């Protein structure tokens, strides 16, 4: 009997943790990964670049092209080079654009 109570308590605790984790990500705005998948993944699968192989999102290429910070990435989204869709502030507000940029910096090394 005692064991059953422990199991129930454990399940309840795990469920609560799940709910808290879910609330956490939504409180921080849409997360960068989801936004990246929505807007960027088509041309940058796995941080690559299907149109211009010299301009992937890997650190090596970003460094070579002077794209080093969150602001650099947001600037490239607002005013990209040939072949990339421009993303206006209306389409992707600054908060979301920065979340995408942070995701790129931490994901594609
Ligand atoms: C239609 C295809 C396409 C989409 C969609 C796209 N890109 Fe690009 N991206 C490109 C092309 C082509 C380039 C090379 C031209 C340039 O430097 O802007 C590029 C270059 C970049 C660069 C510069 C990389 C480097 O090494 O110089 C960054 C950063 C970037 N894209 C970010 C994004 C982000 C963030 C999104 C989503 C919000 C996105 N791109 C969506 C095609 C795309």
């Amino acid at each position: 009997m005692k064991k059953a109570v422990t199991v129930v308590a454990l399940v309840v605790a795990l469920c609560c943790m799940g709910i808290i984790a879910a609330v956490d990500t939504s409180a921080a705005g849409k997360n960068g990964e989801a936004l990246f998948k929505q807007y960027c993944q088509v041309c940058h699968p796995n941080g690559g670049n299907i149109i211009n192989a010299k301009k992937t999102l890997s650190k090596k290429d970003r460094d070579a092209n002077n794209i080093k910070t969150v602001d650099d990435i947001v600037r490239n989204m607002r005013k990209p080079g040939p072949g990339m869709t421009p993303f206006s502030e209306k389409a992707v507000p600054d908060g979301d654009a920065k979340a995408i940029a942070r995701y790129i910096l931490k994901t594609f090394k």
Side-chain angles (χ1 to χ4, degrees), residues 3-21:
K3 208 168 178 188
V5 172
T6 312
V7 169
V8 169
L10 200 66
V11 168
V12 170
L14 285 175
C15 285
C16 290
M17 275 156 61
I19 289 163
I20 290 163

Side-chain angles (χ1 to χ4, degrees), residues 87-108:
F87 295 88
S88 69
E89 242 210 275
K90 229 177 176 176
V92 183
D94 272 346
D96 285 357
K98 285 181 181 168
I100 296 173
R102 281 193 299 271
Y103 170 76
I104 290 173
L105 290 179
K106 84 167 191 262
T107 310
F108 308 118

Side-chain angles (χ1 to χ4, degrees), residues 35-51 57 85 87:
L35 292 162
F36 180 83
K37 288 187 173 146
Q38 182 179 347
Y39 294 113
C40 322
Q41 180 126 294
V42 265
C43 297
H44 297 290
N46 291 320
N49 189 326
I50 59 164
I51 296 170
L57 303 181
T85 329
F87 295 88

